């Protein structure tokens, strides 16, 4: 069983920074895509950032327009961890943030659609 464990959320003032972490545990061979989503009360869950690492290229990153220039997604393969660095935070960034791995190759086969438990980010005015 693969588990994604998130950390790094908290309360921060407007203009501040946080770094979210998502650590993957289990007998993992590869993860080719990682997504960060967020969901605020009364709103639909939205995709914030994604990172792809296909075998045939160096990979790519994509961001929602609302966070471009402020958020950065990255991976540390040695630590089996993905990060979301969030700078210049605004009150509208307040939400529960989730990491997601759509497809994970494990020693027992291909597994699908793993999610972290979510971490709360609150930005005060």
């Amino acid at each position: 069983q693969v588990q994604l464990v998130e950390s790094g959320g908290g309360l921060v003032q407007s203009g501040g920074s946080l770094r979210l972490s998502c650590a993957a545990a289990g007998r993992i061979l590869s993860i080719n895509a990682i997504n960060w989503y967020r969901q605020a009360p009364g709103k639909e869950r939205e995709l914030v950032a994604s990172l792809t690492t296909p075998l045939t290229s160096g990979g790519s990153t994509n961001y929602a327009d609302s966070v471009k220039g402020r958020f950065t997604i990255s991976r540390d393969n040695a630590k089996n961890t993905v990060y979301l660095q969030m700078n210049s935070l605004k009150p509208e960034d307040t939400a529960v943030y989730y990491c997601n791995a759509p497809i994970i190759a494990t020693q027992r086969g291909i597994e699908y659609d793993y999610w972290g438990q979510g971490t709360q980010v609150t930005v005060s005015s």
Side-chain angles (χ1 to χ4, degrees):
Q1 180 75 22
V2 174
Q3 186 175 32
L4 303 180
V5 180
E6 295 159 320
S7 62
L11 175 64
V12 66
Q13 290 183 302
S14 181
S17 298
L18 287 172
R19 188 180 73 165
L20 306 183
S21 299
C22 178
R27 297 185 181 274
I28 299 169
L29 296 179
S30 66
I31 302 175
N32 291 332
I34 295 289
N35 303 312
W36 282 98
Y37 287 82
R38 68 185 181 187
Q39 187 166 23
K43 296 184 178 180
E44 297 289 327
R45 184 172 296 186
E46 64 174 335
L47 179 63
V48 175
S50 62
L51 183 152
T52 60
T53 56
L55 183 63
T56 57
S57 73
S60 62
T61 59
N62 288 280
Y63 301 92
D65 289 341
S66 60
V67 306
K68 285 181 179 177
R70 300 188 297 120
F71 290 12
T72 303
I73 187 172
S74 62
R75 297 175 70 180
D76 186 335
N77 290 332
K79 297 181 178 180
N80 295 318
T81 301
V82 62
Y83 303 98
L84 185 67
Q85 179 67 46
M86 306 185 295
N87 299 325
S88 301
L89 284 163
K90 306 174 181 179
E92 51 262 45
D93 295 318
T94 295
V96 178
Y97 285 71
Y98 302 88
C99 64
N100 162 249
I103 302 174
I104 299 177
T106 75
Q107 293 183 1
R108 299 189 64 182
I110 304 299
E111 301 184 7
Y112 300 95
D113 208 24
Y114 276 88
W115 292 81
Q117 81 285 354
T119 185
Q120 176 71 49
V121 172
T122 302
V123 185
S124 62
S125 301

